[in-house]
Amino acid sequence: MKKLLLSSLIGATAIISCQTTPIVDTPEKSTGVDLRLPEGVSVRETPRGKVLNLYDPKAKDEIGKRSGAYEVKFQFNNTIEIGSYKEAYNLVSQVLKNNPNVRIIVEGNSSKEGPAKYNYDLSKRRSDTSYNYLIRLGSENSKLLKNAFGEALPEYPTLKENRRSEFVIILSEEDLKKYNDFAKTVDVNKETK
């Protein structure tokens, strides 16, 4: 195992152990980086990094595939969570407890309704809401980072689905660099069409 220096968005540092085996998108497996995912969690690779997928492990659709996503969604023009947010936060908290050497970036996002500047500020407040909820569940603030993208990441088909928080797992210095490099390319002040 080699030691990597992990620097955060706010300048703090931490040392983690890491092997070179890539992460896999499978729940309940230990990967080469000693990532232990509880049942109900998988990882999806995106241009900005490894985003946690959270779901009800007991829910299956008619062909036996996973269904029943747990998500942190917000009311329109608000920071009040709706839906299965408690279950989602509990899974994120469990990921942190199972993996003391990782960090998670808590992202806030919004739909494109309203001016981009307002949506960016709203997404910052949503990121704060999710961050604070995880702290109340016992997560250490040194394991959490925050970021906001406003309306700049309209990844989902409906406006309602874009009013969300997402959680990006940071396993190494390379993961943080990838995230920061992506974030530099995003214009949070640009109006989404």
Side-chain angles (χ1 to χ4, degrees):
M1 281 193 197
K2 58 184 176 178
K3 297 286 184 182
L4 294 175
L5 184 61
L6 175 65
S7 60
S8 77
L9 297 171
I10 55 175
T13 59
I15 302 293
I16 65 169
S17 295
C18 181
Q19 293 178 342
T20 57
T21 308
I23 191 167
V24 292
D25 183 27
T26 309
E28 294 189 86
K29 286 194 177 178
S30 175
T31 66
V33 291
D34 294 329
L35 181 63
R36 301 195 190 293
L37 299 176
E39 190 174 21
V41 179
S42 66
V43 176
R44 148 179 124 253
E45 189 64 44
T46 70
R48 65 190 190 279
K50 298 163 183 67
V51 177
L52 295 179
N53 287 328
L54 310 167
Y55 57 92
D56 179 351
K58 296 177 183 130
K60 304 280 183 193
D61 65 13
E62 61 277 354
I63 58 172
K65 290 188 175 183
R66 281 186 275 196
S67 64
Y70 290 147
E71 302 166 314
V72 178
K73 302 287 186 188
F74 295 91
Q75 291 179 0
F76 172 72
N77 196 28
N78 213 311
T79 60
I80 297 173
E81 298 104 325
I82 57 174
S84 58
Y85 69 93
K86 290 179 183 177
E87 294 87 349
Y89 287 135
N90 285 332
L91 285 171
V92 174
S93 178
Q94 191 60 49
V95 168
L96 285 167
K97 288 175 186 169
N98 291 356
N99 299 282
N101 293 326
V102 302
R103 299 179 84 182
I104 289 181
I105 298 174
V106 180
E107 287 182 344
N109 295 276
S110 73
S111 67
K112 64 182 180 178
E113 295 171 298
K117 171 70 171 113
Y118 177 82
N119 288 333
Y120 174 69
D121 291 339
L122 177 59
S123 69
K124 283 174 45 179
R125 293 193 311 273
R126 288 175 174 167
S127 176
D128 289 342
T129 297
S130 295
Y131 178 97
N132 291 333
Y133 197 107
L134 290 169
I135 294 295
R136 285 192 306 275
L137 288 177
S139 299
E140 297 176 35
N141 63 357
S142 64
K143 301 293 181 189
L144 298 170
L145 302 165
K146 296 185 281 185
N147 195 27
F149 282 115
E151 64 186 63
L153 297 182
E155 296 179 359
Y156 298 96
T158 70
L159 295 173
K160 183 178 179 181
E161 290 175 306
N162 286 303
R163 299 179 195 122
R164 70 195 188 280
S165 280
E166 289 193 308
F167 308 94
V168 181
I169 193 157
I170 302 297
L171 301 167
S172 67
E173 182 178 337
E174 288 81 22
D175 286 347
L176 188 59
K177 182 179 182 333
K178 178 179 182 175
Y179 187 88
N180 286 334
D181 288 347
F182 176 85
K184 289 176 191 173
T185 68
V186 176
D187 183 358
V188 297
N189 295 307
K190 182 179 178 185
E191 298 290 332
T192 305
K193 300 205 180 356

